[in-house]
Amino acid sequence: MGLIIGTALADRRYVANVKRVKLMRKIVLLTAAALGSSLLAATPSVAQPQLQFGIGPDGRPQVGVRDPQQEERERRERWRERQDAERTRAYEEGRRDARRDERSYGAYGETCRNVTIEEQDRRGRTVVRRIRRCD
């Protein structure tokens, strides 16, 4: 049975197809909009609490919730506590900067001294040599 153009049956099928196509367009557009908005909304979710999977100190698997902002605050607080303890130790030892001794490049004893030797080369320029001597 063929459809004759201009008949009522052909018109009904055409209208039904047009409605289906419009409905499919709406579904596709709504899906695209939902995906797009979820991608844009996912960016700030990095700062939200996250699930953390790992292995605990006893070797068993652990699941936990971590908050990156809280971890950052705790890390800063631990750093401040270390700095305060270092300053307190330096003050008690009578030093301005306790870390200065820890940063020294060569660990020389207290009996070492620097000897500066100034000589003139054959062109008449002064050459300075420094020698560290430890007794």
Side-chain angles (χ1 to χ4, degrees):
M1 173 175 154
L3 291 178
I4 300 173
I5 297 178
T7 63
L9 181 62
D11 288 341
R12 272 187 273 149
R13 285 190 177 174
Y14 176 77
V15 170
N17 284 338
V18 169
K19 285 183 180 180
R20 245 186 272 143
V21 169
K22 285 185 179 181
L23 179 65
M24 288 173 53
R25 277 188 196 155
K26 286 180 185 178
I27 291 173
V28 168
L29 287 175
L30 287 174
T31 305
L35 285 175
S37 66
S38 69
L39 292 176
L40 295 176
T43 305
S45 70
V46 173
Q48 301 299 321
Q50 300 171 353
L51 282 177
Q52 180 179 10
F53 300 98
I55 297 177
D58 56 354
R60 295 187 330 194
Q62 287 185 333
V63 177
V65 178
R66 69 182 197 95
D67 184 6
Q69 291 175 341
Q70 180 66 26
E71 285 183 7
E72 181 67 25
R73 285 190 293 269
E74 290 172 359
R75 193 175 315 121
R76 284 186 193 147
E77 184 61 30
R78 286 192 302 268
W79 182 82
R80 282 190 198 108
E81 288 173 1
R82 282 196 310 267
Q83 293 299 316
D84 291 342
E86 185 70 25
R87 285 189 198 106
T88 302
R89 187 171 66 108
Y91 180 76
E92 289 171 356
E93 293 177 0
R95 294 183 289 126
R96 282 182 36 204
D97 183 11
R99 292 179 53 187
R100 186 177 300 150
D101 292 338
E102 296 171 3
R103 286 190 310 229
S104 64
Y105 294 105
Y108 296 109
E110 294 180 7
T111 60
C112 295
R113 64 186 188 278
N114 288 330
V115 178
T116 304
I117 302 171
E118 292 185 10
E119 298 175 337
Q120 288 189 352
D121 63 0
R122 58 186 175 178
R123 294 190 178 133
R125 293 182 289 189
T126 303
V127 177
V128 178
R129 292 188 300 143
R130 292 180 179 82
I131 301 172
R132 179 171 290 275
R133 296 204 173 135
C134 298
D135 297 330

